């Protein structure tokens, strides 16, 4: 049995009762009513105009919106004392010095593997969430969803509810209408400028940049990037909206490829809702012993959808799993004194079980989710250990290649190396260089053999080093950097060659 996920949400189709099995395929669609019309928030060729809704899921989305925006706008102003000669901004991407500051951690270009591991961990977490509840990230915490919700809130406050906004589309311009449009776009631009400006704060010291903005001393580069980011926010959240989630973002396509029928996604219990008819007709049908569904075809679930789809037609790759249709449907069911959950977070397997009268089964904990969770924990542990064991200095050695060895007149053999000491801390570090593994004379060009080598904060020192062996032999050699007390703090291995 193959499963087909509907991908065309730009128009609404009628499907006859029982349609869904043809040519050996089971269509993942709900039987659609035999009468009535869909009330789509998308006007013909126009934008999606979603209706506001109240309910527990909407309140949760408002809470997440406040938290995520709070974190985004406040984080650049959080301070972190790293000592002298180091920036005190908790999160800072310092392009000038090639470093990323994350609280106590300082990530250099040499630590790129840590960023790669963190991105891999985020991917595993995203796949795990998908296996549990589909596009939950998209519906609640994705920046596109958060800022679109914020822009829609401004639009509702300025222009009115959905019905009024639909009337405004294509209506003649009046003084009131012009004032509404100007006010809405002015507020959108202020939000966009605040968003773009805040993003710049992550790349430079936030209080200093605010001071420059207030005094009109902002650099042309910073101003350009702020306007670029502001324009991106204004365009994507104000106009593109659901088009980003459906066509521009690659995740819906990946979601379709890894769709899990056991995941708790937003679904319509068609076995309970069909046939659709008004509450009055349903009461009459039931009185006569005829079947009648709980769905009254009010279209509330469609009207509140920010993407413009009808979840009653079955799983759709464009659905962001925001659950607003759940709130809308539950509100209608409560008014009709019918049980909630006609549209709900439910696995597709349980929808199929419900159709044949089998009890529902929750399989959130299964081999797939256990494996993904263990992989996330293992990768998180590796990253944590790597951060803890990361040193504030690095010693690297490169053997000269041409020639690799020089035979001296007394019969001894000399090898030359380039030794680099990198200081990743914000304080001066002092080292003495020594070798182990071979009986050879160490010479540092320009330095006495036992001299102390000082490396400036966030700096490096490159040394030209030679090793001379009286009784030459091929052997491994270990270069060691000693601290003031004589302990080995850094080491690197290379090879002494006798040819």
């Amino acid at each position: 049995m193959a499963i087909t996920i509907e991908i065309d949400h730009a128009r609404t189709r009628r499907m006859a009762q029982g349609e869904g099995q043809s040519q050996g395929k089971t269509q993942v669609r709900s039987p659609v009513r035999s009468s009535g019309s869909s009330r789509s928030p998308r006007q013909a060729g126009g934008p999606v105009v979603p209706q506001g809704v109240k309910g527990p899921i909407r309140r949760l989305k408002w809470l997440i919106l406040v938290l995520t925006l709070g974190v985004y706008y406040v984080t650049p102003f959080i301070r972190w004392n790293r000592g002298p000669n180091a920036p005190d901004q908790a999160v800072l991407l310092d392009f000038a010095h090639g470093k990323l500051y994350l609280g106590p951690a300082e990530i250099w270009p040499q630590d790129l593997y840590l960023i790669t591991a963190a991105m891999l961990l985020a991917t595993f977490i995203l796949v795990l969430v998908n296996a549990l509840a589909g596009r939950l990230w998209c519906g609640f915490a994705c920046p596109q969803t958060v800022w679109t919700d914020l822009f829609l809130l401004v639009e509702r406050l300025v222009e009115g509810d959905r019905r009024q906004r639909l009337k405004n589309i294509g209506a003649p311009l009046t003084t009131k209408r012009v004032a509404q449009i100007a006010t809405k776009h002015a507020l959108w631009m202020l939000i966009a400028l605040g968003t773009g400006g805040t993003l710049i704060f992550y790349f430079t010291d936030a209080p200093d940049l605010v001071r420059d903005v207030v005094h009109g001393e902002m650099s042309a580069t910073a101003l350009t990037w702020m306007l670029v980011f502001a324009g991106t926010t204004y365009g994507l959240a104000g106009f593109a909206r659901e088009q980003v989630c459906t066509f521009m973002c690659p995740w819906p396509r990946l979601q379709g490829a890894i769709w899990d029928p056991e995941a708790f996604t937003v679904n319509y219990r068609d076995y309970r809702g069909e046939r659709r008819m008004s509450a009055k007709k349903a009461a009459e049908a039931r009185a006569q012993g005829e079947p009648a569904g709980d769905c009254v075809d009010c279209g509330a679930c469609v009207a509140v959808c920010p993407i413009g789809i009808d979840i009653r037609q079955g799983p759709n790759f464009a659905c962001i799993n925001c659950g607003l249709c759940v709130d809308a449907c539950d509100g209608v069911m409560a008014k009709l004194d019918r049980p909630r959950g006609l549209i709900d977070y439910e696995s597709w397997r349980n929808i199929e079980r419900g159709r044949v009268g089998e009890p529902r089964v929750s399989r959130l904990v299964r081999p797939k989710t256990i494996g993904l969770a263990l992989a996330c924990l293992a990768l998180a542990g590796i990253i944590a250990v790597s951060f803890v064991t990361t040193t504030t200095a690095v010693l690297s050695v490169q053997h000269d290649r041409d020639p690799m060895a020089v035979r001296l007149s007394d019969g001894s053999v000399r090898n030359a190396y380039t030794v680099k000491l990198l200081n990743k801390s914000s304080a001066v570090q002092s080292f003495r260089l020594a070798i182990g593994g071979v009986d050879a004379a160490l010479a540092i060009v320009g330095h006495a053999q036992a001299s102390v080598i000082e490396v400036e904060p966030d700096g490096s020192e490159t040394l030209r080093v030679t090793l001379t062996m009286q009784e030459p032999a091929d052997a491994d050699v270990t270069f060691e950097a000693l601290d003031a007390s004589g302990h080995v703090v850094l080491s690197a291995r290379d090879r002494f060659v006798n040819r």
Side-chain angles (χ1 to χ4, degrees):
M1 179 182 69
I3 294 179
T4 302
I5 298 181
E6 179 58 62
I7 63 172
D8 183 7
H9 72 286
R11 60 189 178 89
T12 302
R13 285 159 298 279
R14 287 178 175 273
M15 289 172 291
Q17 177 74 23
E19 179 186 6
Q21 291 193 356
S22 62
Q23 300 179 2
K25 293 185 178 181
T26 298
Q27 304 291 325
V28 182
R29 298 173 176 173
S30 303
V32 179
R33 67 210 175 285
S34 57
S35 63
S37 61
S38 174
R39 298 166 176 81
S40 173
R42 180 191 295 277
Q43 299 303 297
V48 172
V49 184
Q51 174 68 47
V53 64
K54 296 180 180 180
I57 297 176
R58 177 66 268 184
R59 288 194 294 271
L60 176 61
K61 282 175 64 65
W62 286 133
L63 176 61
I64 293 175
L65 182 145
V66 172
L67 291 176
T68 52
L69 291 181
V71 170
Y72 175 77
Y73 289 118
V74 172
T75 296
F77 296 93
I78 299 176
R79 302 293 96 184
W80 193 282
N81 185 12
R82 299 185 179 91
N85 305 316
D88 63 350
Q89 188 163 310
V91 179
L92 177 66
L93 181 54
D94 188 354
F95 275 127
H97 300 91
K99 291 200 296 184
L100 171 62
Y101 295 94
L102 293 174
E106 298 180 17
I107 302 176
W108 285 61
Q110 294 89 338
D111 302 323
L112 182 61
Y113 68 95
L114 291 174
I115 301 298
T116 303
M119 294 176 65
L120 186 60
L121 174 60
T123 302
F124 271 101
I125 293 175
L126 198 59
V127 175
L128 173 60
V129 171
N130 177 81
L132 294 173
R135 293 178 66 182
L136 208 60
W137 158 262
C138 300
F140 288 83
C142 173
Q144 174 65 19
T145 297
V146 170
W147 265 280
T148 297
D149 272 356
L150 184 59
F151 275 48
L152 281 172
L153 175 62
V154 171
E155 189 173 71
R156 291 191 193 104
L157 292 176
V158 174
E159 296 186 345
D161 61 11
R162 176 175 179 263
R163 179 175 298 180
Q164 184 59 50
R165 300 204 309 278
L166 289 175
K167 289 181 179 179
N168 291 337
I169 297 177
L173 290 179
T174 62
T175 303
K176 178 182 178 181
R177 180 70 184 130
V178 171
Q180 287 179 337
I181 294 175
T183 302
K184 178 182 73 173
H185 285 277
L187 293 174
W188 281 1
M189 289 179 184
L190 286 176
I191 296 172
L193 286 172
T195 302
T198 302
L199 188 57
I200 297 298
F201 293 160
Y202 285 88
F203 298 88
T204 186
D205 187 74
D208 288 346
L209 185 56
V210 170
R211 194 176 305 112
D212 291 343
V213 172
V214 172
H215 292 90
E217 300 174 353
M218 188 177 185
S219 68
T221 301
L223 178 60
T224 299
W225 281 110
M226 184 183 75
L227 293 177
V228 168
F229 294 138
T232 302
T233 304
Y234 179 72
L236 296 182
F239 300 94
R241 294 183 180 175
E242 77 284 347
Q243 304 299 322
V244 176
C245 301
T246 305
F247 301 110
M248 297 174 63
C249 178
W251 183 238
R253 274 75 181 173
L254 297 175
Q255 159 74 13
I258 61 176
W259 181 74
D260 193 327
E262 295 288 359
F264 276 56
T265 55
V266 175
N267 279 303
Y268 168 62
R269 291 188 169 99
D270 57 323
Y271 57 88
R272 173 186 153 188
E274 303 301 323
R275 295 177 58 227
R276 307 177 196 172
M277 59 186 72
S278 67
K280 181 179 179 180
K281 290 183 178 180
E284 293 174 353
R286 288 168 181 164
Q288 297 173 7
E290 298 177 359
D294 280 346
C295 181
V296 295
D297 200 22
C298 62
C301 57
V302 186
V304 302
C305 180
I307 304 298
I309 63 174
D310 187 344
I311 195 61
R312 296 171 298 178
Q313 292 184 355
N316 189 309
F317 93 120
C319 177
I320 60 174
N321 227 34
C322 64
L324 295 181
C325 55
V326 177
D327 276 345
C329 186
D330 285 349
V332 173
M333 292 296 104
K335 292 178 181 178
L336 297 175
D337 198 24
R338 295 177 182 177
R340 67 162 303 278
L342 180 59
I343 299 176
D344 205 357
Y345 284 97
E346 182 61 283
S347 71
W348 185 253
R349 288 279 189 252
N350 280 334
I351 297 295
E352 292 178 326
R353 293 184 184 105
R355 287 174 179 168
V356 295
E358 295 179 357
R360 64 183 303 276
V361 178
S362 176
R363 295 195 65 241
L364 291 178
V365 180
R366 54 190 188 277
K368 179 179 180 178
T369 57
I370 293 174
L372 287 169
L374 291 177
C376 291
L377 290 175
L379 193 54
I382 292 173
I383 295 174
V385 171
S386 298
F387 270 116
V388 171
T389 57
T390 297
T391 61
T392 59
V394 177
L395 172 66
S396 62
V397 179
Q398 183 176 0
H399 199 295
D400 280 6
R401 298 301 178 188
D402 190 19
M404 295 191 68
V406 176
R407 185 168 292 277
L408 304 181
S409 59
D410 61 357
S412 61
V413 174
R414 175 177 295 167
N415 284 195
Y417 305 84
T418 299
V419 177
K420 186 174 182 179
L421 286 165
L422 175 65
N423 181 8
K424 298 164 62 177
S425 70
S426 57
V428 176
Q429 293 200 50
S430 300
F431 304 97
R432 285 190 304 106
L433 200 62
I435 59 168
V438 296
D439 184 12
L442 168 69
I444 305 174
V445 178
H447 293 76
Q449 180 175 344
S451 65
V452 175
I453 301 164
E454 291 189 347
V455 186
E456 295 298 318
D458 298 333
S460 63
E461 189 74 25
T462 301
L463 307 172
R464 177 75 172 171
V465 177
T466 62
L467 296 182
T468 304
M469 188 180 294
Q470 295 295 329
E471 299 180 0
D474 289 344
D476 290 332
V477 57
T478 302
F479 290 82
E480 300 171 340
L482 312 179
D483 60 12
S485 60
H487 292 97
V488 177
V489 292
L490 301 170
S491 65
R493 179 170 293 185
D494 209 292
R495 185 77 175 169
F496 187 95
V497 296
N498 182 29
R499 60 183 183 279

